[in-house]
Amino acid sequence: MAASLTISRLLAAPRSLSLSSTTTTTTKASLFSAKPFSSKSSYAPFSLKHQTHPKPLKFSTTAAKPISATISVGDKLPESTLSYLDAAGDVQTVTVSELTKSKKAVLFAVPGAFTPTCSQKHVPGFVEKSAELKAKGVDTIACISVNDAFVMKAWKESLKIGDEVLLLSDGNGNFTKAIGVELDLSDKPVGLGVRSRRYSLLAEDGVVKVLNLEEGGAFTSSGADDILKVL
């Protein structure tokens, strides 16, 4: 066998190579003194140009966190003060206990006044179904948002609604934080800051009987029809 072997002959050679007497001492030494192959070696026999390697797949071992809130079914709603503007434009306040004591009340929240889903679907849905809800024994229907009372009044006027649904301001987010449904939108392009998750709840004498909490601003299970189903 010649001292210089071609790649094709090497690949075709049997496992046990027999070196001829013409192989030089240096060649023998280099062959037999080579370190055995290690699985940790970065040895690559060929270098192919334009060869591409897909990026390794990454799998998350962390399970998605369930949607949760501080408040839950069976809990008493925490006391808090909400505000609104009356017909004369004066600021008025109402407490959660005044809205719910000895009453069947539906409270629902939106991420923000004048936002598309809230204005086109969530609030109009409760306005449309308000008569059906009250026929089922609901005394109070109120929408709560982390907006000031002036914004809430302007929003009510733009929606052209009466008193079918109360639009109440939780301007400082006190009630929203008390029931643990804050939604941080400060890193979004529109810069909404800390708002509320979308939800709807049914309370009887201030005790939560039904809680439909959405993921972020999604609108899938907190509409008027979802409350009607359980009445």
Side-chain angles (χ1 to χ4, degrees):
M1 182 182 295
S4 176
L5 300 176
T6 64
I7 290 176
S8 60
R9 291 179 64 188
L10 278 172
L11 294 174
R15 291 184 179 180
S16 176
L17 292 176
S18 176
L19 298 175
S20 68
S21 57
T22 57
T23 305
T24 64
T25 303
T26 303
T27 303
K28 289 180 180 180
S30 62
L31 283 171
F32 290 102
S33 64
K35 295 180 179 179
F37 177 76
S38 169
S39 60
K40 296 182 179 179
S41 172
S42 59
Y43 171 76
F46 299 103
S47 177
L48 300 178
K49 294 183 178 180
H50 308 298
Q51 185 177 5
T52 58
H53 299 278
K55 295 181 178 180
L57 295 174
K58 295 182 179 180
F59 298 95
S60 174
T61 57
T62 304
K65 293 182 179 179
I67 305 172
S68 62
T70 302
I71 199 77
S72 60
V73 172
D75 291 343
K76 184 84 171 177
L77 288 171
E79 184 65 298
S80 190
T81 300
L82 306 169
S83 63
Y84 63 97
L85 294 183
D86 62 17
D90 296 324
V91 177
Q92 303 293 338
T93 61
V94 61
T95 64
V96 171
S97 60
E98 288 172 337
L99 290 171
T100 62
K101 187 176 181 180
S102 301
K103 298 176 184 177
K104 186 178 288 186
V106 172
L107 307 181
F108 67 99
V110 296
F114 291 101
T115 54
T117 301
C118 309
S119 299
Q120 298 168 13
K121 297 179 180 180
H122 208 179
V123 173
F126 275 97
V127 172
E128 181 183 346
K129 301 291 183 178
S130 60
E132 292 181 51
L133 289 165
K134 290 179 180 179
K136 294 282 188 178
V138 173
D139 300 292
T140 304
I141 308 171
C143 172
I144 300 171
S145 182
V146 183
N147 291 102
D148 64 68
F150 298 94
V151 168
M152 297 299 280
K153 179 176 174 57
W155 191 30
K156 178 180 178 180
E157 292 173 349
S158 74
L159 293 173
K160 296 180 173 60
I161 63 175
D163 294 325
E164 304 95 334
V165 175
L166 303 175
L167 298 187
L168 302 176
S169 166
D170 181 28
N172 293 326
N174 293 334
F175 180 69
T176 299
K177 294 172 184 175
I179 63 173
V181 293
E182 306 99 308
L183 178 62
D184 189 354
L185 298 176
S186 58
D187 61 339
K188 305 302 179 183
V190 290
L192 293 177
V194 177
R195 296 301 182 97
S196 172
R197 291 185 182 279
R198 192 187 304 280
Y199 66 83
S200 63
L201 65 84
L202 172 66
E204 294 183 15
D205 196 22
V207 177
V208 179
K209 299 298 182 180
V210 177
L211 175 61
N212 299 321
L213 180 62
E214 304 270 18
E215 176 62 51
F219 182 52
T220 59
S221 62
S222 60
D225 286 329
D226 298 293
I227 294 294
L228 280 169
K229 289 176 185 177
V230 300
L231 289 172

